[in-house]
Amino acid sequence: MKTKILKKRHITLVEMMIVMFLIAMITGVIAYNYTGSLDEGKAFKTKAGIEKINTVLDLHLATHPEDRNDIGSRWREIVAASQLVKNPEELKKDGWGMEYEVSSDSNGDIEIKSQKYIDYQNSKGKGSMFNSSNKSH
């Protein structure tokens, strides 16, 4: 009667290194895609914030046109006093946590800017879904 000797198969160091390399590559791709999604989310929040602030300030100026000249310095208190805003402290900052820059141009139009949003648009190029010709950016 013949007996077979079974050999145990062990994992070699090279095989372990290959598996670790593949896991690292997959993790890197996921992290890269996740970062892009975060920036798009911040851009979306910023664009929505700009539009909401613009609406609140337009409504305020419709009833208080005398405030047009000092809108750049008073916009925070106007937003805080508005009944349209649930959380004014959150609305005062863009998606990156930076405060908006609000001013009035020579025609009396309100300009709301976020430098991080502008940088994001420039880095994404013309193909970004958040890139538009709206003056309030």
Side-chain angles (χ1 to χ4, degrees):
M1 199 188 241
K2 293 182 180 179
T3 59
K4 288 187 178 182
I5 300 174
L6 296 175
K7 291 184 178 180
K8 290 187 175 181
R9 174 95 163 89
H10 297 286
I11 297 175
T12 65
L13 182 59
V14 173
E15 291 171 329
M16 286 178 55
M17 289 176 61
I18 290 171
V19 169
M20 290 173 60
F21 175 75
L22 291 173
I23 291 172
M25 292 260 308
I26 291 169
T27 304
V29 169
I30 290 170
Y32 180 76
N33 289 335
Y34 184 69
T35 301
S37 296
L38 285 177
D39 284 342
E40 282 191 25
K42 290 175 182 179
F44 182 80
K45 179 181 186 283
T46 301
K47 184 174 182 182
I50 287 171
E51 291 171 357
K52 188 159 193 171
I53 291 171
N54 202 11
T55 300
V56 168
L57 295 179
D58 278 342
L59 288 173
H60 177 79
L61 291 177
T63 57
H64 301 91
E66 67 276 4
D67 290 342
R68 185 168 298 279
N69 292 335
D70 58 343
I71 197 75
S73 60
R74 294 198 53 228
W75 74 270
R76 291 169 200 81
E77 67 182 74
I78 295 168
V79 168
S82 174
Q83 294 178 349
L84 298 174
V85 180
K86 280 186 196 176
N87 188 352
E89 291 304 314
E90 186 177 318
L91 186 59
K92 292 177 188 176
K93 296 184 179 181
D94 63 11
W96 290 269
M98 305 297 292
E99 197 166 274
Y100 293 104
E101 300 169 22
V102 179
S103 61
S104 181
D105 67 8
S106 59
N107 297 332
D109 294 332
I110 300 169
E111 293 182 341
I112 305 167
K113 296 179 185 175
S114 163
Q115 189 57 48
K116 293 281 191 176
Y117 183 64
I118 292 169
D119 294 343
Y120 172 79
Q121 284 182 317
N122 291 337
S123 71
K124 291 298 276 186
K126 301 212 184 277
S128 174
M129 73 180 203
F130 299 112
N131 199 4
S132 68
S133 61
N134 190 344
K135 286 179 80 175
S136 62
H137 296 199

